Amino acid sequence: MLGVLDAAAKTTYTYWTFNGKVPGPMLRARVGDTIEITLKNAKSSAMIHNVDLHAVWGQGGGAAATNVAPGEEKSFVFKALNPGLYVYHCATPVIPQHISSGMYGLILIEPEGGLPKVDKEFYVMQGDMYADGAGAEKEFNLDKMLAEQPTHVVMNGSAAALAGNPMKAKVGDDIRIFFGVGGPNLTSAFHAIGTIWDKVYPEGALSEKDVHRNVQTTVVPPGGATMVEFKARVPAKYILVDHALGRLMKGNVAIIVAEGAPVPDVFREGKLK
Ligand SMILES: [Cu+2]
């Protein structure tokens, strides 16, 4: 599917996707659930695909059961045994090309009793892309991928996608971000400019005893995820980045706008009187 790679530069890229979006749909279930996964490959598709879900016990995380040629459909059933936030991705060779081109997403297996309620939940994934060529329509470059020299580092599939079209919240909201890294290559130093993560659920471990508090930056590897929470204490544009900030220049930014009245007790311009 031809999509916008960088709106400002007016470039496009032929994405490979789950359900037409990058990342693919966020799947949500609870520990103990029995889940049926069906992968259907469009007739118009150019190649075989499958899906490996990191939440699955079984061959290839389901990849072996879901190799589908164009026009085919296959299913499998699994029981969710471990709570957590997990990446899924296509695992068809050349695997990193399928991932880089957009075939990744998150599956949340909620713990017993479910996650506590918050005011806002957002779904953000980082990926590195190797999109080359002189024209406006860029193509995957295998050499750049092997050298781990991405042309673009993206949040939700395109350069600055979530900057031009920010996520919205209100002052006082409790915000939860499901953050994953599709990769295929780069590890993210996940950070928000203008706030502190009140809670980080490191590596997507969801029990309260695993929580780290008051964190500035958390490490999320390719094929890994984290859940972070913070209260929007002041009105601001909270800017999500990989703090390896060279990547900001390659499109790696997303914004949460929190609107509301100023809270001068917490932040104000000027001097103490
Ligand atoms: Cu694929």
Side-chain angles (χ1 to χ4, degrees):
M1 165 196 104
L2 194 68
V4 174
L5 174 62
D6 183 336
K10 297 193 168 71
T11 51
T12 58
Y13 183 83
T14 299
Y15 290 87
W16 301 344
T17 68
F18 291 108
N19 294 15
K21 285 200 169 152
V22 184
M26 187 166 151
L27 309 177
R28 193 163 187 157
R30 195 169 285 192
V31 71
D33 285 352
T34 297
I35 299 154
E36 179 188 297
I37 300 282
T38 296
L39 188 66
K40 189 174 175 181
N41 196 353
K43 257 200 186 113
S44 58
S45 173
M47 68 200 70
I48 293 175
H49 298 289
N50 62 22
V51 64
D52 166 355
L53 301 107
H54 293 177
V56 169
W57 283 87
Q59 188 58 51
T66 53
N67 281 310
V68 280
E72 270 191 322
E73 175 183 323
K74 286 184 185 169
S75 302
F76 71 93
V77 170
F78 77 99
K79 185 164 186 178
L81 299 181
N82 306 65
L85 182 63
Y86 298 95
V87 169
Y88 68 82
H89 62 89
C90 183
T92 305
V94 174
I95 298 171
Q97 179 177 6
H98 286 246
I99 292 173
S100 183
S101 296
M103 298 195 79
Y104 53 81
L106 291 177
I107 176 168
L108 172 67
I109 306 297
E110 295 197 36
E112 241 173 275
L115 290 175
K117 277 248 179 276
V118 291
D119 299 304
K120 292 273 172 170
E121 292 184 328
F122 298 115
Y123 174 31
V124 179
M125 286 190 81
Q126 177 170 326
D128 34 287
M129 297 182 68
Y130 306 84
D132 206 15
E137 197 174 326
K138 303 297 181 189
E139 284 173 3
F140 179 76
N141 183 304
L142 184 68
D143 292 330
K144 285 195 167 150
M145 191 278 290
L146 292 172
E148 303 191 9
Q149 292 173 340
T151 56
H152 300 76
V153 185
V154 297
M155 299 282 205
N156 290 11
S158 71
L162 293 171
N165 187 18
M167 298 169 276
K168 297 216 164 86
K170 292 199 180 73
V171 169
D173 278 354
D174 287 313
I175 296 173
R176 171 181 290 152
I177 304 172
F178 301 107
F179 180 78
V181 176
N185 292 324
L186 298 189
T187 292
S188 179
F190 186 49
H191 174 84
I193 298 169
T195 185
I196 295 146
W197 306 131
D198 288 320
K199 290 181 172 184
V200 169
Y201 296 75
E203 313 210 14
L206 296 185
S207 65
E208 201 58 31
K209 70 176 171 36
D210 293 315
V211 168
H212 294 180
R213 287 168 203 279
N214 308 320
V215 174
Q216 60 191 304
T217 302
T218 190
V219 176
V220 187
T226 189
M227 191 173 94
V228 299
E229 293 174 353
F230 70 103
K231 184 183 276 295
R233 291 181 176 78
V234 296
K237 281 184 187 173
Y238 297 104
I239 304 167
L240 312 185
V241 294
D242 177 338
H243 213 292
L245 285 170
R247 298 166 187 177
L248 178 61
M249 313 294 286
K250 295 182 172 180
N252 190 262
V253 59
I255 294 175
I256 298 173
V257 178
E259 289 182 336
V263 186
D265 199 31
V266 176
F267 182 86
R268 62 183 183 273
E269 294 188 9
K271 294 182 178 183
L272 277 173
K273 282 190 192 107

